[in-house]
Amino acid sequence: MARVFEFIKDITDRKDLWKITVKVKDKWNATKEGKDFFQIVVVDSKGDDIFVLVPNELKQKFENEIPITVNNTYTMQNFQVTKNDDQFKPSHHEFKLRFTGGTLVEDVNVHQIADPVAKFKSFGDILNGDFREDYLYDVIGLVDEVGYQQPHYGNRKVQVNFILRDLGNNVINCTLWENYALKFFNVQNKANEGPTIVFMKYAKVKHAGLLTGNTFNIVSLAAGIESGTITNVTETPSQMMSQSSGGSQFTPYTAEQKFTHNAEVMPLSKIVQLAEDTKCVTVVDTVKIKPNKSGWYYLTCYKCPKQCFGDAPPYRCIDKHETETEIIRYKMDIEVAAGDVKATCVFWDRECAQLLGISASDLRAEMLGIGITNHLVYPVQMDEITGRTIAVKLKWQVKWKTGSVMAIHDGADFVNEIQSSFPPGDGPQGNLIKSDKTIAKSEPYGEIDPFFAHKYSDELDDE
Protein backbone atom coordinates (compact mmCIF):
# COMPACT_ATOMS: atom_id res chain seq x y z
CA MET A 1 0.00 0.00 0.00
CA ALA A 2 1.40 3.40 -1.00
CA ARG A 3 2.23 5.90 1.71
CA VAL A 4 -0.30 8.74 1.88
CA PHE A 5 0.62 12.39 1.66
CA GLU A 6 0.98 14.27 4.93
CA PHE A 7 1.15 17.93 5.87
CA ILE A 8 4.17 19.89 7.04
CA LYS A 9 2.46 20.97 10.26
CA ASP A 10 2.27 17.30 11.33
CA ILE A 11 5.99 16.56 10.92
CA THR A 12 7.81 15.48 14.11
CA ASP A 13 10.88 13.40 14.86
CA ARG A 14 8.80 10.35 15.79
CA LYS A 15 9.59 9.03 12.30
CA ASP A 16 11.65 9.86 9.20
CA LEU A 17 9.39 8.35 6.53
CA TRP A 18 7.36 11.44 5.78
CA LYS A 19 5.84 11.99 2.33
CA ILE A 20 4.93 15.57 1.47
CA THR A 21 3.96 17.63 -1.59
CA VAL A 22 5.68 21.00 -1.54
CA LYS A 23 6.68 24.10 -3.46
CA VAL A 24 10.20 25.43 -3.05
CA LYS A 25 9.82 28.88 -1.49
CA ASP A 26 13.48 29.93 -1.28
CA LYS A 27 16.92 28.47 -1.87
CA TRP A 28 20.48 29.57 -1.05
CA ASN A 29 23.97 28.13 -1.09
CA ALA A 30 26.18 27.88 1.97
CA THR A 31 29.65 26.70 2.95
CA LYS A 32 30.84 25.12 6.18
CA GLU A 33 34.29 23.78 6.91
CA GLY A 34 35.15 24.09 3.22
CA LYS A 35 32.16 22.04 2.02
CA ASP A 36 29.42 23.51 -0.16
CA PHE A 37 25.77 22.63 0.36
CA PHE A 38 22.43 24.30 -0.13
CA GLN A 39 19.38 24.98 1.95
CA ILE A 40 15.74 25.47 1.02
CA VAL A 41 12.46 26.43 2.60
CA VAL A 42 9.47 24.49 1.26
CA VAL A 43 5.78 25.22 1.73
CA ASP A 44 2.72 22.97 1.31
CA SER A 45 -0.85 23.63 0.18
CA LYS A 46 -1.85 24.79 3.66
CA GLY A 47 0.79 27.50 3.69
CA ASP A 48 3.02 25.89 6.35
CA ASP A 49 6.75 25.79 5.71
CA ILE A 50 9.80 23.92 6.93
CA PHE A 51 13.56 24.32 6.57
CA VAL A 52 15.48 21.65 4.56
CA LEU A 53 19.24 21.08 4.31
CA VAL A 54 20.77 19.32 1.29
CA PRO A 55 24.28 18.22 2.35
CA ASN A 56 27.46 18.39 0.29
CA GLU A 57 27.38 14.74 -0.78
CA LEU A 58 23.92 15.20 -2.34
CA LYS A 59 24.37 18.70 -3.72
CA GLN A 60 25.33 17.65 -7.25
CA LYS A 61 22.47 15.15 -7.46
CA PHE A 62 19.82 17.68 -6.58
CA GLU A 63 21.33 20.44 -8.69
CA ASN A 64 21.98 18.42 -11.85
CA GLU A 65 20.19 15.06 -11.93
CA ILE A 66 16.99 16.15 -10.17
CA PRO A 67 17.39 19.93 -9.97
CA ILE A 68 15.55 21.59 -7.13
CA THR A 69 14.45 25.04 -8.24
CA VAL A 70 12.57 27.86 -6.54
CA ASN A 71 8.83 27.89 -7.36
CA ASN A 72 8.84 24.29 -8.63
CA THR A 73 6.64 21.73 -6.89
CA TYR A 74 7.75 18.22 -5.92
CA THR A 75 6.85 15.10 -4.04
CA MET A 76 9.50 14.57 -1.37
CA GLN A 77 9.83 11.69 1.06
CA ASN A 78 12.25 10.10 3.49
CA PHE A 79 14.34 12.53 5.54
CA GLN A 80 16.35 12.82 8.69
CA VAL A 81 14.12 14.81 11.05
CA THR A 82 15.74 16.77 13.88
CA LYS A 83 14.90 19.63 16.19
CA ASN A 84 15.10 23.05 14.59
CA ASP A 85 17.87 24.28 16.87
CA ASP A 86 19.82 26.51 14.46
CA GLN A 87 21.02 29.86 15.75
CA PHE A 88 18.80 31.64 13.21
CA LYS A 89 15.66 29.96 11.91
CA PRO A 90 14.21 30.90 8.51
CA SER A 91 11.27 28.59 9.29
CA HIS A 92 9.52 28.70 12.65
CA HIS A 93 8.63 25.01 12.48
CA GLU A 94 9.70 23.06 15.53
CA PHE A 95 11.61 20.59 13.34
CA LYS A 96 13.84 20.70 10.28
CA LEU A 97 14.62 18.17 7.53
CA ARG A 98 17.87 16.88 6.08
CA PHE A 99 18.18 14.98 2.82
CA THR A 100 19.82 11.54 3.08
CA GLY A 101 20.84 8.93 0.55
CA GLY A 102 17.33 7.52 0.89
CA THR A 103 15.51 10.78 0.11
CA LEU A 104 13.23 10.54 -2.93
CA VAL A 105 12.30 13.62 -4.97
CA GLU A 106 9.92 13.24 -7.93
CA ASP A 107 6.73 14.55 -9.60
CA VAL A 108 8.26 17.83 -10.72
CA ASN A 109 5.53 20.45 -11.16
CA VAL A 110 2.73 17.89 -10.97
CA HIS A 111 1.08 19.43 -7.91
CA GLN A 112 -0.85 22.68 -7.86
CA ILE A 113 0.34 24.67 -4.86
CA ALA A 114 -0.35 28.38 -4.59
CA ASP A 115 2.50 30.83 -4.18
CA PRO A 116 3.22 31.38 -0.49
CA VAL A 117 1.82 34.52 1.09
CA ALA A 118 4.31 36.66 2.96
CA LYS A 119 3.68 36.64 6.71
CA PHE A 120 4.85 40.04 7.80
CA LYS A 121 5.97 40.69 11.35
CA SER A 122 4.21 43.79 12.57
CA PHE A 123 6.26 46.73 13.79
CA GLY A 124 4.06 46.84 16.87
CA ASP A 125 5.15 43.34 17.84
CA ILE A 126 8.80 44.25 17.31
CA LEU A 127 8.54 47.41 19.38
CA ASN A 128 6.69 45.54 22.13
CA GLY A 129 9.35 42.83 22.24
CA ASP A 130 6.95 40.20 20.91
CA PHE A 131 9.50 38.27 18.86
CA ARG A 132 12.29 35.72 19.17
CA GLU A 133 15.83 36.69 18.31
CA ASP A 134 16.49 33.25 16.84
CA TYR A 135 13.58 33.57 14.40
CA LEU A 136 13.96 35.30 11.04
CA TYR A 137 10.98 37.40 9.94
CA ASP A 138 9.49 39.02 6.85
CA VAL A 139 9.23 42.80 7.24
CA ILE A 140 7.94 45.54 4.97
CA GLY A 141 7.90 49.30 5.40
CA LEU A 142 8.44 52.72 3.90
CA VAL A 143 11.89 54.28 4.15
CA ASP A 144 11.33 57.25 6.45
CA GLU A 145 14.89 58.45 7.01
CA VAL A 146 18.33 57.36 5.84
CA GLY A 147 21.14 57.55 8.34
CA TYR A 148 24.76 56.40 8.27
CA GLN A 149 25.95 55.20 4.87
CA GLN A 150 29.10 53.41 3.74
CA PRO A 151 28.41 53.10 -0.01
CA HIS A 152 31.86 51.90 -1.06
CA TYR A 153 34.17 49.12 -0.02
CA GLY A 154 37.07 50.31 2.08
CA ASN A 155 38.10 49.89 5.70
CA ARG A 156 34.73 48.37 6.50
CA LYS A 157 31.80 46.63 4.87
CA VAL A 158 29.32 48.45 2.68
CA GLN A 159 26.45 49.46 4.96
CA VAL A 160 23.36 51.62 5.19
CA ASN A 161 21.27 52.46 8.25
CA PHE A 162 17.73 53.68 7.81
CA ILE A 163 14.35 53.96 9.52
CA LEU A 164 11.31 52.06 8.26
CA ARG A 165 7.78 53.29 8.94
CA ASP A 166 4.56 51.25 8.72
CA LEU A 167 0.99 52.42 8.14
CA GLY A 168 0.46 52.90 11.85
CA ASN A 169 3.43 55.33 11.93
CA ASN A 170 5.49 52.87 13.99
CA VAL A 171 9.18 53.09 13.15
CA ILE A 172 12.09 50.66 13.51
CA ASN A 173 15.81 51.01 12.86
CA CYS A 174 17.27 48.85 10.09
CA THR A 175 20.69 48.00 8.73
CA LEU A 176 21.60 46.44 5.39
CA TRP A 177 25.06 45.12 4.63
CA GLU A 178 27.16 44.49 1.51
CA ASN A 179 25.07 43.30 -1.50
CA TYR A 180 21.81 44.28 0.16
CA ALA A 181 23.13 47.75 0.95
CA LEU A 182 24.35 48.13 -2.65
CA LYS A 183 20.89 47.15 -3.87
CA PHE A 184 19.39 49.77 -1.56
CA PHE A 185 21.72 52.49 -2.87
CA ASN A 186 20.87 51.55 -6.45
CA VAL A 187 17.13 51.83 -5.82
CA GLN A 188 17.50 55.06 -3.86
CA ASN A 189 19.41 56.61 -6.75
CA LYS A 190 16.52 55.78 -9.09
CA ALA A 191 13.76 56.79 -6.72
CA ASN A 192 13.78 60.50 -7.60
CA GLU A 193 11.03 62.05 -5.49
CA GLY A 194 9.00 58.90 -4.95
CA PRO A 195 8.95 56.86 -1.74
CA THR A 196 11.01 53.71 -1.34
CA ILE A 197 9.45 50.56 0.10
CA VAL A 198 11.69 47.83 1.48
CA PHE A 199 10.57 44.20 1.76
CA MET A 200 12.97 42.01 3.73
CA LYS A 201 12.64 38.26 3.96
CA TYR A 202 14.40 36.43 6.79
CA ALA A 203 15.41 39.57 8.66
CA LYS A 204 17.12 39.28 12.03
CA VAL A 205 15.41 41.28 14.75
CA LYS A 206 17.19 42.57 17.82
CA HIS A 207 16.02 44.68 20.70
CA ALA A 208 18.20 47.54 19.49
CA GLY A 209 16.43 47.57 16.13
CA LEU A 210 16.17 45.42 13.05
CA LEU A 211 19.22 44.16 11.20
CA THR A 212 19.69 41.91 8.20
CA GLY A 213 22.48 39.36 8.03
CA ASN A 214 24.15 37.91 4.96
CA THR A 215 23.14 34.27 5.09
CA PHE A 216 19.44 34.00 4.40
CA ASN A 217 18.21 37.48 3.58
CA ILE A 218 16.36 38.31 0.41
CA VAL A 219 15.78 42.04 0.12
CA SER A 220 13.35 43.49 -2.40
CA LEU A 221 12.92 47.19 -2.86
CA ALA A 222 10.51 49.29 -4.86
CA ALA A 223 11.14 52.90 -5.81
CA GLY A 224 7.82 54.66 -6.03
CA ILE A 225 4.36 53.34 -5.29
CA GLU A 226 3.59 52.80 -8.94
CA SER A 227 6.67 50.69 -9.61
CA GLY A 228 4.72 47.46 -9.84
CA THR A 229 5.25 44.18 -8.07
CA ILE A 230 8.27 43.35 -5.98
CA THR A 231 10.45 40.41 -6.95
CA ASN A 232 9.00 37.03 -5.93
CA VAL A 233 5.84 38.67 -4.62
CA THR A 234 2.53 38.78 -6.48
CA GLU A 235 1.14 41.79 -4.60
CA THR A 236 2.01 45.43 -5.11
CA PRO A 237 3.92 47.27 -2.38
CA SER A 238 0.72 49.10 -1.42
CA GLN A 239 -1.18 45.84 -0.97
CA MET A 240 1.61 44.34 1.10
CA MET A 241 1.79 47.40 3.33
CA SER A 242 -1.97 47.10 3.85
CA GLN A 243 -1.66 43.42 4.72
CA SER A 244 1.12 44.20 7.18
CA SER A 245 -0.98 46.79 8.99
CA GLY A 246 -4.41 45.22 9.17
CA GLY A 247 -5.89 46.31 5.86
CA SER A 248 -5.43 50.08 6.00
CA GLN A 249 -5.00 51.76 2.64
CA PHE A 250 -1.43 52.91 2.12
CA THR A 251 -1.12 56.62 1.39
CA PRO A 252 2.45 57.89 1.57
CA TYR A 253 3.25 61.14 3.30
CA THR A 254 3.63 64.15 1.10
CA ALA A 255 6.92 66.00 1.47
CA GLU A 256 5.19 68.59 3.61
CA GLN A 257 3.48 66.02 5.84
CA LYS A 258 6.76 64.24 6.37
CA PHE A 259 8.43 67.56 7.16
CA THR A 260 6.01 68.29 10.02
CA HIS A 261 5.65 64.67 11.20
CA ASN A 262 6.42 64.20 14.91
CA ALA A 263 7.15 67.90 15.35
CA GLU A 264 5.31 70.87 16.86
CA VAL A 265 4.67 73.84 14.60
CA MET A 266 5.35 77.07 16.47
CA PRO A 267 6.98 80.48 16.00
CA LEU A 268 10.58 81.05 16.99
CA SER A 269 9.45 83.26 19.88
CA LYS A 270 7.84 80.20 21.51
CA ILE A 271 10.69 77.86 20.67
CA VAL A 272 13.32 79.88 22.53
CA GLN A 273 11.18 79.69 25.68
CA LEU A 274 10.86 75.89 25.69
CA ALA A 275 11.85 74.19 28.93
CA GLU A 276 12.73 70.81 27.40
CA ASP A 277 14.23 69.47 24.19
CA THR A 278 11.54 69.52 21.50
CA LYS A 279 11.27 68.86 17.77
CA CYS A 280 9.73 71.89 16.10
CA VAL A 281 8.86 73.30 12.70
CA THR A 282 9.07 77.05 12.17
CA VAL A 283 9.90 79.72 9.60
CA VAL A 284 13.02 81.88 9.93
CA ASP A 285 15.22 84.34 8.09
CA THR A 286 18.86 83.31 7.85
CA VAL A 287 20.74 86.36 9.12
CA LYS A 288 24.44 85.54 9.23
CA ILE A 289 26.99 82.81 9.74
CA LYS A 290 28.59 82.89 13.18
CA PRO A 291 32.22 81.80 12.84
CA ASN A 292 33.76 79.72 15.60
CA LYS A 293 37.01 77.90 16.31
CA SER A 294 35.77 74.77 14.52
CA GLY A 295 35.47 76.54 11.16
CA TRP A 296 32.94 75.62 8.50
CA TYR A 297 33.64 71.88 8.22
CA TYR A 298 34.94 68.98 10.25
CA LEU A 299 36.18 65.43 9.77
CA THR A 300 33.76 62.62 10.52
CA CYS A 301 34.31 58.98 11.37
CA TYR A 302 33.79 56.35 8.68
CA LYS A 303 32.09 54.10 11.22
CA CYS A 304 29.84 56.48 13.16
CA PRO A 305 28.57 60.07 12.81
CA LYS A 306 30.99 61.45 15.40
CA GLN A 307 33.75 63.96 14.83
CA CYS A 308 37.28 62.78 14.09
CA PHE A 309 40.44 64.46 15.30
CA GLY A 310 44.04 64.51 14.17
CA ASP A 311 46.33 66.31 11.75
CA ALA A 312 47.05 63.22 9.69
CA PRO A 313 45.57 59.76 9.20
CA PRO A 314 44.52 57.70 10.93
CA TYR A 315 41.97 60.16 12.34
CA ARG A 316 40.20 59.06 15.51
CA CYS A 317 36.78 59.80 16.98
CA ILE A 318 36.04 59.74 20.72
CA ASP A 319 35.11 56.06 20.37
CA LYS A 320 38.65 55.46 19.05
CA HIS A 321 37.50 54.32 15.59
CA GLU A 322 40.29 54.91 13.09
CA THR A 323 39.56 56.58 9.74
CA GLU A 324 42.25 56.49 7.06
CA THR A 325 40.70 58.96 4.60
CA GLU A 326 39.27 62.43 5.07
CA ILE A 327 35.46 62.51 5.21
CA ILE A 328 34.47 66.17 5.14
CA ARG A 329 31.12 67.40 6.51
CA TYR A 330 29.63 70.86 6.88
CA LYS A 331 28.72 72.20 10.30
CA MET A 332 27.95 75.86 10.76
CA ASP A 333 26.31 78.02 13.40
CA ILE A 334 23.85 80.36 11.71
CA GLU A 335 21.95 83.18 13.33
CA VAL A 336 18.28 83.09 12.38
CA ALA A 337 15.50 85.51 13.14
CA ALA A 338 11.75 85.83 13.16
CA GLY A 339 10.62 89.36 13.84
CA ASP A 340 12.60 90.69 16.76
CA VAL A 341 13.51 87.21 18.04
CA LYS A 342 16.90 85.78 17.19
CA ALA A 343 18.49 82.40 17.84
CA THR A 344 21.44 80.31 16.77
CA CYS A 345 20.86 77.13 14.81
CA VAL A 346 23.38 74.47 13.87
CA PHE A 347 23.09 73.63 10.18
CA TRP A 348 24.56 70.25 9.30
CA ASP A 349 26.02 68.72 6.18
CA ARG A 350 22.85 67.92 4.25
CA GLU A 351 21.15 71.27 4.81
CA CYS A 352 24.28 73.32 4.08
CA ALA A 353 24.83 71.38 0.87
CA GLN A 354 21.24 72.03 -0.15
CA LEU A 355 21.62 75.74 0.45
CA LEU A 356 24.97 75.98 -1.31
CA GLY A 357 24.52 73.43 -4.08
CA ILE A 358 27.94 71.88 -3.48
CA SER A 359 29.28 69.25 -1.12
CA ALA A 360 31.69 70.13 1.67
CA SER A 361 34.43 67.98 0.17
CA ASP A 362 34.09 69.63 -3.25
CA LEU A 363 34.06 73.13 -1.79
CA ARG A 364 37.13 72.36 0.29
CA ALA A 365 38.84 71.00 -2.83
CA GLU A 366 38.13 74.33 -4.54
CA MET A 367 39.69 76.16 -1.61
CA LEU A 368 42.76 73.92 -1.67
CA GLY A 369 43.01 74.56 -5.40
CA ILE A 370 43.53 78.28 -4.76
CA GLY A 371 45.97 77.64 -1.96
CA ILE A 372 43.66 78.11 1.05
CA THR A 373 44.04 75.34 3.64
CA ASN A 374 42.75 76.98 6.82
CA HIS A 375 39.27 75.80 7.83
CA LEU A 376 38.66 79.16 9.49
CA VAL A 377 38.61 80.86 6.08
CA TYR A 378 34.95 80.77 5.03
CA PRO A 379 34.49 80.58 1.21
CA VAL A 380 32.66 83.44 -0.46
CA GLN A 381 29.94 80.97 -1.48
CA MET A 382 28.83 80.97 2.15
CA ASP A 383 27.19 84.33 1.55
CA GLU A 384 24.47 82.50 -0.38
CA ILE A 385 23.20 80.99 2.87
CA THR A 386 22.20 84.31 4.41
CA GLY A 387 19.17 86.39 3.51
CA ARG A 388 16.90 83.40 2.91
CA THR A 389 13.43 82.80 4.32
CA ILE A 390 12.96 79.08 4.88
CA ALA A 391 10.97 76.57 6.85
CA VAL A 392 13.16 74.58 9.22
CA LYS A 393 12.57 71.42 11.18
CA LEU A 394 14.81 71.47 14.20
CA LYS A 395 15.40 70.01 17.60
CA TRP A 396 15.55 72.78 20.17
CA GLN A 397 18.25 71.86 22.68
CA VAL A 398 17.70 73.57 26.00
CA LYS A 399 21.20 72.77 27.26
CA TRP A 400 22.84 74.66 24.39
CA LYS A 401 20.05 77.17 23.76
CA THR A 402 20.35 76.32 20.07
CA GLY A 403 18.36 74.54 17.42
CA SER A 404 19.86 71.51 15.67
CA VAL A 405 18.44 71.64 12.15
CA MET A 406 17.01 68.37 10.83
CA ALA A 407 15.52 69.51 7.50
CA ILE A 408 14.80 72.63 5.46
CA HIS A 409 12.17 73.62 2.89
CA ASP A 410 11.96 76.83 0.82
CA GLY A 411 8.72 76.20 -1.06
CA ALA A 412 6.86 79.53 -0.98
CA ASP A 413 3.41 77.99 -0.51
CA PHE A 414 4.62 75.73 2.29
CA VAL A 415 6.51 78.53 4.03
CA ASN A 416 3.42 80.75 3.85
CA GLU A 417 1.22 77.93 5.16
CA ILE A 418 3.46 77.41 8.19
CA GLN A 419 3.79 81.12 8.80
CA SER A 420 0.02 81.69 8.57
CA SER A 421 -0.49 79.58 11.69
CA PHE A 422 1.60 81.99 13.80
CA PRO A 423 0.18 84.97 15.72
CA PRO A 424 0.73 88.33 13.94
CA GLY A 425 4.25 89.64 14.37
CA ASP A 426 5.77 86.25 15.20
CA GLY A 427 7.00 85.43 11.69
CA PRO A 428 10.05 86.53 9.70
CA GLN A 429 9.93 90.04 8.31
CA GLY A 430 11.90 89.45 5.14
CA ASN A 431 10.63 88.32 1.76
CA LEU A 432 11.21 84.82 0.49
CA ILE A 433 14.36 84.92 -1.59
CA LYS A 434 14.51 82.35 -4.34
CA SER A 435 17.75 81.23 -5.94
CA ASP A 436 18.66 78.94 -8.80
CA LYS A 437 19.51 76.29 -6.22
CA THR A 438 16.04 75.31 -5.02
CA ILE A 439 16.09 73.38 -1.78
CA ALA A 440 13.04 71.33 -2.78
CA LYS A 441 12.02 68.73 -0.19
CA SER A 442 15.13 68.37 1.92
CA GLU A 443 16.40 65.59 -0.30
CA PRO A 444 20.18 65.15 -0.63
CA TYR A 445 21.85 67.34 -3.25
CA GLY A 446 23.57 65.23 -5.89
CA GLU A 447 25.84 62.65 -4.34
CA ILE A 448 25.73 64.10 -0.82
CA ASP A 449 24.80 61.54 1.78
CA PRO A 450 22.09 62.35 4.30
CA PHE A 451 23.90 62.91 7.59
CA PHE A 452 22.55 62.43 11.03
CA ALA A 453 25.16 64.12 13.20
CA HIS A 454 22.42 66.39 14.48
CA LYS A 455 21.20 63.44 16.49
CA TYR A 456 24.59 63.38 18.21
CA SER A 457 25.20 67.09 18.53
CA ASP A 458 26.08 66.83 22.22
CA GLU A 459 29.14 64.86 21.14
CA LEU A 460 30.49 67.63 18.88
CA ASP A 461 32.20 70.87 19.79
CA ASP A 462 29.55 73.58 19.92
CA GLU A 463 31.78 76.27 21.36
Side-chain angles (χ1 to χ4, degrees):
M1 180 178 177
R3 187 173 296 276
V4 299
F5 292 111
E6 297 174 281
F7 293 108
I8 286 177
K9 68 179 181 63
D10 298 319
I11 292 178
T12 69
D13 58 358
R14 64 183 174 85
K15 66 176 184 179
D16 289 336
L17 300 178
W18 296 96
K19 182 180 181 181
I20 53 178
T21 61
V22 296
K23 171 175 280 191
V24 178
K25 179 180 177 183
D26 290 304
K27 174 183 176 181
W28 52 86
N29 294 313
T31 302
K32 185 176 182 179
E33 297 177 354
K35 294 184 178 181
D36 296 332
F37 57 97
F38 70 86
Q39 300 162 318
I40 58 177
V41 174
V42 298
V43 60
D44 65 14
S45 59
K46 290 186 176 292
D48 297 306
D49 61 36
I50 194 167
F51 175 71
V52 185
L53 185 146
V54 180
N56 173 263
E57 60 270 21
L58 298 174
K59 184 174 184 288
Q60 292 299 318
K61 175 180 179 180
F62 290 108
E63 283 189 336
N64 301 320
E65 299 175 28
I66 310 172
I68 293 179
T69 305
V70 172
N71 291 328
N72 279 358
T73 62
Y74 304 90
T75 297
M76 296 181 179
Q77 53 186 322
N78 306 338
F79 315 92
Q80 178 184 356
V81 183
T82 59
K83 282 283 189 179
N84 187 7
D85 56 1
D86 292 340
Q87 181 180 6
F88 299 110
K89 303 173 176 62
S91 171
H92 302 173
H93 198 290
E94 183 182 357
F95 297 91
K96 61 182 179 181
L97 307 178
R98 179 187 176 98
F99 277 19
T100 70
T103 299
L104 178 62
V105 177
E106 55 189 355
D107 298 338
V108 181
N109 289 331
V110 171
H111 310 289
Q112 298 297 317
I113 299 177
D115 291 332
V117 176
K119 300 175 182 178
F120 295 111
K121 188 66 172 174
S122 77
F123 288 15
D125 286 348
I126 293 173
L127 295 172
N128 291 329
D130 185 14
F131 63 87
R132 286 177 48 171
E133 291 196 8
D134 60 332
Y135 280 179
L136 302 177
Y137 295 98
D138 294 348
V139 176
I140 189 169
L142 178 76
V143 176
D144 196 56
E145 293 184 14
V146 180
Y148 175 75
Q149 301 179 61
Q150 174 68 25
H152 307 294
Y153 287 101
N155 293 335
R156 61 169 303 168
K157 296 178 180 178
V158 175
Q159 173 189 345
V160 59
N161 298 344
F162 55 94
I163 295 175
L164 278 188
R165 173 176 62 85
D166 68 5
L167 290 176
N169 289 329
N170 299 304
V171 295
I172 55 176
N173 298 311
C174 306
T175 301
L176 293 178
W177 303 91
E178 297 187 319
N179 290 337
Y180 307 114
L182 291 173
K183 189 173 184 180
F184 180 91
F185 293 134
N186 182 53
V187 171
Q188 282 285 89
N189 290 336
K190 296 177 181 178
N192 297 321
E193 296 185 358
T196 300
I197 291 177
V198 175
F199 168 37
M200 287 183 281
K201 299 172 71 174
Y202 310 123
K204 292 188 288 188
V205 181
K206 295 185 177 181
H207 287 286
L210 183 146
L211 300 89
T212 69
N214 292 321
T215 303
F216 304 115
N217 300 98
I218 298 173
V219 180
S220 298
L221 305 97
I225 298 302
E226 302 302 328
S227 59
T229 57
I230 293 179
T231 307
N232 297 328
V233 182
T234 59
E235 299 170 300
T236 65
S238 300
Q239 291 169 330
M240 290 193 295
M241 288 282 286
S242 295
Q243 174 194 335
S244 178
S245 301
S248 301
Q249 179 61 39
F250 173 64
T251 304
Y253 281 161
T254 64
E256 289 72 24
Q257 288 172 328
K258 183 175 179 180
F259 194 92
T260 57
H261 180 59
N262 285 338
E264 298 184 40
V265 178
M266 65 178 70
L268 185 63
S269 59
K270 299 293 190 295
I271 293 176
V272 297
Q273 299 177 42
L274 290 170
E276 59 183 22
D277 291 1
T278 307
K279 290 183 181 179
C280 309
V281 169
T282 192
V283 175
V284 297
D285 294 326
T286 54
V287 179
K288 62 182 179 180
I289 296 172
K290 301 178 68 175
N292 58 43
K293 65 181 182 181
S294 298
W296 57 273
Y297 68 85
Y298 68 99
L299 298 176
T300 188
C301 178
Y302 83 97
K303 193 173 184 180
C304 70
K306 297 174 184 176
Q307 185 174 9
C308 277
F309 301 93
D311 296 325
Y315 308 102
R316 291 179 176 84
C317 69
I318 59 174
D319 288 340
K320 299 183 179 180
H321 302 142
E322 293 189 352
T323 300
E324 295 293 338
T325 58
E326 291 185 341
I327 303 174
I328 307 297
R329 294 287 187 263
Y330 288 116
K331 175 179 177 278
M332 284 185 281
D333 294 344
I334 298 177
E335 183 178 293
V336 300
D340 295 330
V341 180
K342 294 182 179 181
T344 299
C345 287
V346 182
F347 281 66
W348 299 93
D349 188 67
R350 177 174 60 178
E351 289 70 40
C352 290
Q354 289 167 329
L355 289 167
L356 294 170
I358 185 172
S359 71
S361 59
D362 287 344
L363 185 53
R364 180 170 177 268
E366 288 187 9
M367 298 292 282
L368 293 176
I370 58 175
I372 299 175
T373 60
N374 195 326
H375 66 293
L376 297 179
V377 178
Y378 286 71
V380 69
Q381 290 95 322
M382 298 296 182
D383 294 343
E384 297 181 22
I385 289 180
T386 60
R388 310 281 286 270
T389 300
I390 57 175
V392 294
K393 184 175 185 178
L394 58 84
K395 181 178 181 181
W396 183 253
Q397 298 176 313
V398 175
K399 177 180 178 181
W400 305 109
K401 297 298 181 184
T402 59
S404 181
V405 176
M406 304 168 67
I408 54 179
H409 197 311
D410 75 341
D413 291 341
F414 182 63
V415 169
N416 290 333
E417 179 183 348
I418 296 296
Q419 193 168 331
S420 66
S421 66
F422 300 159
D426 273 330
Q429 303 301 306
N431 294 321
L432 179 67
I433 299 176
K434 300 293 289 184
S435 72
D436 293 334
K437 301 179 179 68
T438 302
I439 299 172
K441 303 186 308 176
S442 198
E443 294 293 336
Y445 181 93
E447 294 299 317
I448 300 167
D449 297 335
F451 181 56
F452 285 86
H454 58 261
K455 296 182 181 296
Y456 302 92
S457 56
D458 287 356
E459 296 160 352
L460 295 171
D461 185 359
D462 283 294
E463 294 299 323

